[in-house]
């Protein structure tokens, strides 16, 4: 196995970063649904915060994508 | 069997070659073309909708008013009345990114926002502008941004670097989120489209329902990313105006 092979194995391994992002986004929206079920009148306010939280959680997964791009193309 | 190249669609092509100031390449590329198309689409959508300016809006006018109301209420919720004067800028940002994402969903078109260079250009401009607004409002007190109130004294040396880094990473996270979302979605659509070709006539129809579902999902993402970009700009603006 040469260095090129390990490069592609590493690029594939970076997809594991999606694991954490998936769990994080799931927790954010689960908490939002919990909150809405308890207090439906606060839905519009919670939605905005939930999307901000999901955006931050998602960004962590996207950093894994950036690492993939760096490994493959840089 | 042809090889699938999912990243080929993001290639820049020079449509009108032009060099200025001795070697600076400012050619009119397909990216520039679709930027122009997006701006025109936004202008036609809003101006055309408000052309009749009726008291009881028709379908088109109500779409234009809905998009206005949507951003206006979002700005009011996150920034408050102090953000009213920045509404034209926030609305322009939202419409531009939304139209860029949406024109990218047309087959054979080019997604402008899939390039980090483009989104980073927008994000760094907003970041610098918001920092200037913060310093204009609070003077040197704006450095208090880096020290949340109620911090125990022994945490101060630890917390200030963290806050500085988190503040400086704002344009990077804004731009990478938008570009990577658009790019990943389009690349996946292309890969699935390649499956249809590779699997041939017998089983090639299998991925098609997934492609339809993913295309619908991509429209959602295109809207959601424009929304998230705008709401984060609103949150940063709120930080600059009110501090925390």
């Amino acid at each position: 196995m040469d260095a090129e092979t390990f490069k592609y194995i590493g690029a594939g391994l970076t997809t594991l970063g999606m694991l954490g992002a998936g769990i994080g986004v799931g927790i954010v929206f689960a908490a939002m649904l919990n909150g809405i079920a308890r207090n439906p009148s606060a839905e519009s306010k919670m939605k905005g915060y939930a999307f901000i939280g999901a955006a931050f959680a998602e960004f962590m997964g996207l950093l894994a994508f950036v690492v993939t791009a760096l490994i493959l193309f840089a | 069997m042809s090889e699938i190249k999912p990243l080929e669609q993001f290639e820049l092509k020079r449509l009108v070659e032009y060099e200025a100031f001795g070697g600076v390449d400012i050619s009119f590329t397909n990216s520039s073309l679709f930027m122009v198309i997006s701006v025109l689409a936004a202008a036609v959508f809003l101006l055309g909708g408000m052309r009749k300016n009726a008291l009881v809006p028709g379908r088109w006018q109500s779409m234009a008013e809905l998009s206005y109301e949507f951003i206006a209420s979002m700005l009011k919720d996150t920034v408050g009345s102090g953000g009213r004067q920045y509404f034209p800028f926030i609305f322009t940002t939202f419409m531009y990114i939304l139209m860029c994402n949406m024109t990218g969903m047309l087959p054979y078109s080019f997604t402008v926002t899939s390039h980090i260079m483009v989104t980073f250009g927008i994000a760094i401009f907003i970041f610098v502008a918001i920092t200037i607004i913060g310093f204009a409002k609070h003077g040197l007190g704006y450095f208090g941004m880096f020290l949340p109130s109620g911090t125990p004294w022994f945490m101060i040396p630890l917390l200030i670097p963290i806050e500085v880094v988190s503040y400086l990473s704002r344009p990077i996270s804004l731009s990478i989120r938008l570009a990577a979302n658009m790019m990943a979605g389009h690349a996946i659509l292309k890969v699935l489209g390649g499956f249809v070709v590779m699997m041939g006539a017998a089983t090639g129809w299998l991925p098609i329902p997934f492609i339809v579902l993913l295309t619908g999902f991509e429209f959602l993402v295109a809207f959601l990313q424009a929304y998230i970009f705008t709401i984060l700009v609103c949150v940063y603006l709120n930080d600059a105006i009110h501090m925390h």
Side-chain angles (χ1 to χ4, degrees):
Chain A
M1 295 225 280
D2 55 345
E4 194 75 358
T5 321
F6 283 115
K7 197 171 105 177
Y8 285 113
I9 292 174
L13 284 176
T14 55
T15 55
L16 288 177
M18 284 192 288
L19 194 70
I23 294 171
V25 173
I27 287 174
V28 167
F29 281 109
M32 182 192 78
L33 287 176
N34 257 325
I36 291 174
R38 281 161 201 243
N39 183 7
S41 59
E43 184 181 343
S44 59
K45 217 171 188 185
M46 278 179 200
K47 253 189 199 158
Y49 287 126
F51 279 123
I52 297 174
F56 282 126
E58 191 189 25
F59 178 63
M60 293 300 128
L62 292 173
L63 283 180
F65 169 77
V66 173
V67 174
T68 316
L70 282 179
I71 292 175
L72 284 180
F73 303 116
Chain B
M1 191 152 292
S2 62
E3 198 188 345
I4 317 160
K5 289 181 191 137
L7 297 180
E8 201 182 18
Q9 55 180 325
F10 302 118
E11 207 176 314
L12 287 173
K13 295 181 195 79
R14 290 185 187 82
L15 300 180
V16 181
E17 301 219 13
Y18 190 72
E19 278 192 3
F21 318 118
V24 184
D25 191 357
I26 51 168
S27 305
F28 191 82
T29 60
N30 50 357
S31 180
S32 334
L33 177 66
F34 276 94
M35 280 183 202
V36 172
I37 290 175
S38 324
V39 171
L40 285 180
V44 165
F45 171 63
L46 291 171
L47 292 175
M50 297 313 289
R51 182 196 47 194
K52 281 191 193 140
N53 217 353
L55 187 62
V56 180
R59 268 170 295 188
W60 193 355
Q61 189 183 339
S62 119
M63 286 283 287
E65 285 181 3
L66 263 179
S67 56
Y68 178 95
E69 285 288 326
F70 179 63
I71 300 301
S73 69
M74 186 177 87
L75 188 64
K76 199 154 171 274
D77 286 346
T78 42
V79 189
S81 56
R84 192 88 188 104
Q85 52 180 317
Y86 303 109
F87 174 75
F89 175 67
I90 302 282
F91 188 58
T92 313
T93 314
F94 175 74
M95 285 312 280
Y96 178 65
I97 292 173
L98 181 69
M99 286 300 167
C100 284
N101 292 350
M102 286 299 177
T103 49
M105 287 308 296
L106 296 172
Y108 295 101
S109 70
F110 180 87
T111 322
V112 178
T113 42
S114 65
H115 283 250
I116 290 180
M117 207 55 240
V118 175
T119 55
F120 188 71
I122 303 173
I124 195 78
F125 176 77
I126 290 171
F127 174 74
V128 169
I130 283 177
T131 309
I132 290 173
I133 290 170
F135 275 111
K137 284 246 178 228
H138 304 285
L140 286 178
Y142 190 58
F143 282 113
M145 270 287 288
F146 302 131
L147 189 63
S149 54
T151 315
W153 61 270
F154 53 88
M155 289 291 280
I156 289 175
L158 189 67
L159 212 57
I160 286 180
I162 293 177
E163 287 287 322
V164 169
V165 168
S166 102
Y167 188 79
L168 290 180
S169 71
R170 280 172 174 187
I172 300 168
S173 80
L174 260 184
S175 57
I176 289 183
R177 178 181 304 114
L178 179 57
N181 264 298
M182 298 316 294
M183 189 178 158
H186 285 260
I188 281 179
L189 278 181
K190 193 84 168 195
V191 168
L192 278 180
F195 282 170
V196 177
V197 180
M198 271 166 57
M199 288 161 89
T203 51
W205 51 272
L206 275 171
I208 291 179
F210 293 101
I211 296 178
V212 174
L213 275 177
L214 258 178
T215 310
F217 182 69
E218 276 311 305
F219 274 107
L220 174 77
V221 167
F223 172 77
L224 206 61
Q225 288 307 317
Y227 172 68
I228 285 175
F229 193 97
T230 323
I231 201 168
L232 281 172
V233 170
C234 286
V235 169
Y236 298 157
L237 191 62
N238 180 41
D239 275 358
I241 293 177
H242 296 120
M243 313 233 338
H244 52 203

